[in-house]
């Protein structure tokens, strides 16, 4: 039987590109935390933001190497900026930091938007904007040769695959919706559950939405079938966003 597992590319980590990207990631995350600490957000909403940041960073340790394998994503094997190694992937420091500001920040924004009461259309606008930011960030990594997708990736015409940005954005939105549902029941020390919640929401979201494209990529399916699987993955993402958009609209109606 023909082996359908595609070998991961191996190449040295580029410098100073890696350090530049790490500094940029750190600046973004620090700016958001400074806004939280000194802009009044900490007094109004407590420690939710840094807890969500920490929880999403922790989720990177458990989730990133697994889905890198199933979705065919590589990092340089030898990397001076390595944070840890697992499942034959060397994960650099800017990955958990990037998880924190992107997934944590997206979820926090979505939670606040849902709580404030918005239309379904506004949720969709925010989703497509978030997907674009993710596409740009992942594409920059590819252009700088810090990491990239490989194999017969569908919708990979310029920068990173569009289907993946849909999945990443959906992961942040599902966590934001979960915050809207669970936070009323997480007062005091119970808010420490926010350190674990992102691992459940992102792992389940990414596992379910990427199932079609993951099967295609690791089964030597034809290019048309692989592109159909990529389209199916994006449709699953939009189904999840539709549900969240309806949830936001219902809340807006009840608050009116």
């Amino acid at each position: 039987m023909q082996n359908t597992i595609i070998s991961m590319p191996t190449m040295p980590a580029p410098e100073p590109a890696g350090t530049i990207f790490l500094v940029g990631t750190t600046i973004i995350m620090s700016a958001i935390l400074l806004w939280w600490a000194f802009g009044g957000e900490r007094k109004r909403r407590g420690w939710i933001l840094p807890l969500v940041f920490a929880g999403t960073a922790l989720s990177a340790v458990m989730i990133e190497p697994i889905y890198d394998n199933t979705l065919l994503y590589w990092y340089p094997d030898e990397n001076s900026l390595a944070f840890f190694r697992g499942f034959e992937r060397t994960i650099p420091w800017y990955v958990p930091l990037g998880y924190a500001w992107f997934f944590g920040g997206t979820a926090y924004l979505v939670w606040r938007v849902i709580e404030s009461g918005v239309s379904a259309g506004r949720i969709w606008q925010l989703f497509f904007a978030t997907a674009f930011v993710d596409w740009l960030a992942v594409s920059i990594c590819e252009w700088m040769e810090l990491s990239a997708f490989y194999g017969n990736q569908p919708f990979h015409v310029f920068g990173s695959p569009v289907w993946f940005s849909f999945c990443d954005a959906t992961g942040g939105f599902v966590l934001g919706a979960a915050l809207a549902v669970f936070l009323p029941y997480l007062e005091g020390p119970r808010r420490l559950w926010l350190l674990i919640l992102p691992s459940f929401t992102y792992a389940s979201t990414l596992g379910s939405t990427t199932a079609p494209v993951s099967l295609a990529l690791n089964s030597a399916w034809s290019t048309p079938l692989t592109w159909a699987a990529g389209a199916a993955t994006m449709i699953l993402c939009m189904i999840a966003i539709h549900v969240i958009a309806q949830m936001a609209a219902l809340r807006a109606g009840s608050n009116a």
Side-chain angles (χ1 to χ4, degrees):
M1 182 177 295
Q2 182 183 4
N3 181 21
T4 59
I5 304 301
I6 303 174
S7 298
M8 182 184 72
T10 57
M11 57 191 70
E15 285 295 345
T19 301
I20 293 172
F21 196 82
L22 175 60
V23 170
T25 301
T26 304
I27 289 173
I28 293 173
M29 188 184 69
S30 299
I32 296 173
L33 288 174
L34 286 171
W35 164 80
W36 164 80
F38 299 105
E41 195 70 11
R42 178 176 58 84
K43 293 181 179 179
R44 287 191 295 267
R45 294 180 174 87
W47 288 74
I48 295 172
L49 180 63
L51 286 172
V52 171
F53 270 25
T56 51
L58 176 63
S59 71
V61 177
M62 295 186 281
I63 295 169
E64 182 70 20
I66 297 172
Y67 288 111
D68 287 344
N69 276 270
T70 59
L71 303 178
L72 306 186
Y73 194 72
W74 66 265
Y75 291 97
D77 191 56
E78 298 295 329
N79 196 333
S80 60
L81 300 176
F83 172 50
F84 76 102
R85 180 173 173 81
F87 209 159
E88 298 187 348
R89 293 295 190 275
T90 300
I91 309 300
W93 272 100
Y94 48 76
V95 172
L97 297 179
Y99 265 60
W101 79 257
F102 181 78
F103 295 112
T106 297
Y108 193 80
L109 175 60
V110 170
W111 165 60
R112 287 188 58 193
V113 165
I114 291 175
E115 288 298 294
S116 65
V118 295
S119 66
R122 182 65 67 183
I123 293 294
W124 280 104
Q125 290 173 357
L126 184 58
F127 169 73
F128 286 116
T130 304
F132 175 77
V133 171
D134 180 86
W135 174 86
L136 181 61
V138 180
S139 296
I140 289 173
C141 285
E142 181 163 330
W143 297 331
M144 297 174 72
E145 297 185 345
L146 297 172
S147 57
F149 287 88
Y150 60 97
N152 187 27
Q153 296 285 343
F155 299 96
H156 192 179
V157 292
F158 180 72
S160 66
V162 176
W163 64 261
F164 181 73
S165 294
F166 270 55
C167 293
D168 264 0
T170 302
F173 272 66
V174 170
L175 177 55
L179 292 176
V181 171
F182 290 122
L183 274 174
Y185 307 99
L186 299 178
E187 296 294 338
R190 292 180 180 177
R191 290 206 166 160
L192 292 176
W193 285 111
L194 296 177
L195 296 173
I196 303 298
L197 182 61
S199 294
F200 284 100
T201 58
Y202 187 57
S204 59
T205 302
L206 203 63
S208 57
T209 58
T210 65
V213 74
S214 180
L215 285 171
L217 290 172
N218 293 284
S219 303
W221 289 2
S222 66
T223 297
L225 279 177
T226 302
W227 277 68
T233 284
M234 290 190 286
I235 290 171
L236 287 174
C237 291
M238 289 188 286
I239 290 172
I241 299 304
H242 170 72
V243 173
I244 296 171
Q246 295 306 305
M247 168 187 168
L250 286 172
R251 290 206 173 197
S254 64
N255 293 336

